[in-house]
Amino acid sequence: MVATGTDVDLSPVHYRGGKVYLIDQRLLPAQEVWLEFDDVADLARAISDMVVRGAPAIGITAAYGLVLAARSAVERGDDVFGCIERAAQLLSQTRPTAVNLFWAIRRMLAVAKSASPDEVVESLEREALRIHREDVAMNVAIGVYGARLLPRKARVLTHCNAGALATGGFGTALGIIRAAILTGKQLKVYVNETRPFLQGARLTMWELTRDGIDCVLVTDGMGAHLMARGLVDAVVVGADRIARNGDVANKIGTYGLAIWAREHGVPFYVAAPTSTLDPELPSGEHIPIEERSPAEVVRIRGVPIAPEGAQVMHPAFDVTPHRYITAIITDCGVLHPPYHQSISEALNAGRAVDD
Ligand code: MRU
């Protein structure tokens, strides 16, 4: 198989003809099924149920959800601004850790507020498409910056899925891998399976295999062993939310990987667009951690893997303290410690671009 790393067209969400389409990520890789949505409540449920997941993809989907809410309010002759507000409330309750969700909703509400009732649907459509397009562009920039940090021949360990499926396209952590391959680097990717939802085994392996990228599936407990054997040159992961001091919330299991990486002298990189930076939170202890259903832990595809009635914990994310993070790779460049300074500079640079 030839590694091309060029499947830049893969996006998990599309908006066409007033409808939203999501590839059902619960069914991948066994089935590629696209679901159609014209109702914001159904779309909010799809976000909660992880039909679509990954912080940037959740934000983009929510933005399109507000377009659906506005369209149907106009069709029914309802109070369009009231409907948009209620839809924003509903969408805000889906995935609490993913800050891109709240970031996208804020952007959409600001546009709605400055639009007249006659033009609100078109204005929201334009803004949602812009959010989607900008996300892909940010990922490509992250890829370019991140690829430079990897050696010519690199063995990279990644966790969860921070790929095209988790974003508007191209991916953050996987965007770096794609960009490195496009610049001629030789990569092998160790993919953590990522219990319990198996984003690594099902989604990252699917994406990398489609692109012909050399990838090896490992279980979540194997990372320390691989590092001890000298098999990992870098860890690259995504983020759901990054506090002002550089603490990073990402899929449960990320924090442990960071500790192992420090112990073995392996660089630990976090890849994220500036839309994942949360300047309102001073540190990671303030990041809300989503608790998901025990059912996702005790069953795999409906098959019980624990005794009936087993007690379960299911925090879906953990927080990696900033001191374990070698660099945060954003669309505004590579951020180094002290992060409170580099993050605030990146946010100001982002604002300067927006202005
Ligand atoms: O629960 P998920 O699958 O939404 O969690 C996804 C992650 O943890 C990703 O690493 C993160 O959202 C970044 S995606 C570019």
Side-chain angles (χ1 to χ4, degrees):
M1 221 182 294
V2 179
T4 59
T6 53
D7 191 358
V8 288
D9 294 332
L10 176 63
S11 173
V13 50
H14 291 280
Y15 177 76
R16 213 174 300 119
K19 296 199 166 98
V20 177
Y21 297 85
L22 298 176
I23 189 164
D24 190 341
Q25 299 194 32
R26 300 166 306 179
L27 304 180
L28 286 171
Q31 293 175 65
E32 292 178 34
V33 175
W34 286 87
L35 303 178
E36 181 186 278
F37 297 86
D38 58 9
D39 176 67
V40 66
D42 292 340
L43 196 64
R45 206 166 308 113
I47 295 173
S48 301
D49 292 348
M50 293 176 60
V51 171
V52 64
R53 29 67 50 199
I58 291 167
I60 294 162
T61 306
Y64 287 132
L66 292 175
V67 178
L68 295 187
R71 280 183 80 97
S72 58
V74 168
E75 274 164 24
R76 291 192 313 266
D78 272 1
D79 161 26
V80 65
F81 295 108
C83 288
I84 292 169
E85 281 288 347
R86 279 194 295 281
Q89 281 294 326
L90 185 69
L91 289 161
S92 300
Q93 285 155 20
T94 53
R95 301 289 312 271
T97 309
V99 76
N100 303 60
L101 169 65
F102 306 96
W103 171 88
I105 290 173
R106 260 200 316 276
R107 263 181 74 159
M108 295 294 282
L109 289 181
V111 165
K113 281 197 184 100
S114 61
S116 72
D118 288 348
E119 61 187 22
V120 66
V121 172
E122 287 74 27
S123 302
L124 288 176
E125 269 176 351
R126 270 198 304 278
E127 186 65 0
L129 289 164
R130 196 176 300 131
I131 287 172
H132 193 165
R133 252 196 330 270
E134 282 176 12
D135 185 66
V136 180
M138 288 194 285
N139 293 338
V140 172
I142 290 167
V144 171
Y145 289 122
R148 293 183 192 144
L149 299 175
L150 298 177
R152 273 204 51 74
K153 277 187 161 197
R155 295 146 315 162
V156 174
L157 176 63
T158 191
H159 188 61
C160 194
N161 172 266
L165 287 170
T167 63
F170 201 65
T172 55
L174 298 196
I176 290 174
I177 286 161
R178 291 191 162 101
I181 288 170
L182 284 168
T183 58
K185 294 191 173 175
Q186 284 175 38
L187 260 60
K188 177 189 274 297
V189 186
Y190 291 108
V191 178
N192 262 3
E193 69 171 341
T194 319
R195 277 279 292 148
F197 196 70
L198 305 176
Q199 289 95 328
R202 299 188 302 103
L203 309 177
T204 298
M205 287 300 288
W206 181 75
E207 272 195 41
L208 296 180
T209 306
R210 267 167 66 107
D211 275 7
I213 295 172
D214 185 7
C215 53
V216 180
L217 178 61
V218 295
T219 63
D220 295 351
M222 292 180 187
H225 173 77
L226 298 182
M227 291 181 205
R229 292 276 163 108
L231 295 175
V232 181
D233 299 304
V235 178
V236 185
V237 296
D240 262 66
R241 194 188 288 237
I242 303 177
R244 213 160 60 214
N245 69 345
D247 291 350
V248 168
N250 191 50
K251 181 52 54 193
I252 191 79
T254 303
Y255 177 23
L257 267 184
I259 296 172
W260 291 340
R262 168 60 54 86
E263 171 66 21
H264 294 95
V266 173
F268 185 88
Y269 297 119
V270 173
T274 38
S275 50
T276 303
L277 302 174
D278 185 350
E280 282 168 25
L281 299 188
S283 63
E285 73 215 43
H286 301 277
I287 299 177
I289 298 295
E290 179 183 1
E291 283 283 335
R292 291 192 60 85
S293 162
E296 290 177 357
V297 176
V298 295
R299 279 184 220 121
I300 294 183
R301 297 224 180 273
V303 178
I305 57 159
E308 184 72 30
Q311 292 191 58
V312 177
M313 284 179 73
H314 189 189
F317 299 93
D318 58 26
V319 175
T320 301
H322 59 91
R323 65 180 178 280
Y324 291 105
I325 299 167
T326 311
I328 300 174
I329 303 156
T330 74
D331 46 292
C332 285
V334 179
L335 313 186
H336 296 284
Y339 289 116
H340 59 87
Q341 195 177 316
S342 51
I343 285 177
S344 118
E345 282 164 11
L347 286 166
N348 288 334
R351 262 182 228 119
V353 171
D354 289 345
D355 289 345

